[in-house]
Amino acid sequence: MTVYLFIHGSQEIVFPFAVTLGISALLWFFVLLISGTCRCQLCQVPTMRPLKCTRHQKAKPLLGSYRLRIALSVVSKDSLRCCYCGEYFKLKPKILPKVEPIPELVTAPRRRSISSRARQIPAKRS
């Protein structure tokens, strides 16, 4: 839109250009606010924020962006690989089958009785 505005110089395009620029700036501001809350479950590094940390060797960029790969893998596969620690996470929890307890193991163990000798306090040596 900027190139079109400079080439044609018409006044009709100025208002849509200003609206588009304002919406883009507002969305960019919200992305910066929200990106700090998306953290890796293991290393607790914000994965959607551009940091100057060293990336893991298993992390691969998509079109030059590590964040784009994370976003697309979350949307398409419900999983992600942290670009800083390299750990692979599934976002859906595992549903474990319900297991019935074994009756022999449910009963409480019997308490040992304490002998009378163990209850006595030894005499003080002088």
Side-chain angles (χ1 to χ4, degrees), residues 18-47:
V19 169
T20 305
L21 189 64
I23 290 173
S24 298
L26 187 64
L27 287 176
W28 186 255
F29 177 71
F30 284 131
V31 164
L32 286 177
L33 285 178
I34 295 172
S35 67
T37 62
C38 303
R39 294 184 175 270
C40 173
Q41 298 171 6
L42 182 65
C43 64
Q44 294 297 312
V45 173
T47 55

Side-chain angles (χ1 to χ4, degrees), residues 63-83:
L63 299 175
S65 173
Y66 292 94
R67 294 182 292 170
L68 180 61
R69 179 173 286 276
I70 291 173
L72 287 179
S73 68
V74 166
V75 170
S76 64
K77 298 186 293 185
D78 288 332
S79 63
L80 68 106
R81 181 178 297 277
C82 177
C83 59

Side-chain angles (χ1 to χ4, degrees), residues 7-119:
I7 291 174
H8 294 287
S10 65
Q11 295 295 327
E12 295 104 21
I13 199 73
V14 172
F15 182 71
F17 175 72
V19 169
T20 305
L21 189 64
I23 290 173
S24 298
L26 187 64
L27 287 176
W28 186 255
F29 177 71
F30 284 131
V31 164
L32 286 177
L33 285 178
I34 295 172
S35 67
T37 62
C38 303
R39 294 184 175 270
C40 173
Q41 298 171 6
L42 182 65
C43 64
Q44 294 297 312
V45 173
T47 55
M48 298 305 283
R49 187 169 280 178
L51 300 174
K52 297 188 182 202
C53 302
T54 304
R55 303 265 198 302
H56 194 268
Q57 62 186 4
K58 290 182 182 177
K60 298 174 188 168
L62 179 66
L63 299 175
S65 173
Y66 292 94
R67 294 182 292 170
L68 180 61
R69 179 173 286 276
I70 291 173
L72 287 179
S73 68
V74 166
V75 170
S76 64
K77 298 186 293 185
D78 288 332
S79 63
L80 68 106
R81 181 178 297 277
C82 177
C83 59
Y84 297 106
C85 67
E87 193 66 32
Y88 182 77
F89 297 103
K90 288 210 172 254
L91 298 179
K92 290 185 178 179
K94 290 182 182 177
I95 299 174
L96 299 174
K98 197 169 191 177
V99 178
E100 295 294 326
I102 301 172
E104 297 88 31
L105 299 177
V106 173
T107 59
R110 288 188 289 167
R111 297 180 73 193
R112 293 186 307 150
S113 62
I114 301 174
S115 66
S116 61
R117 292 183 75 183
R119 286 188 213 146

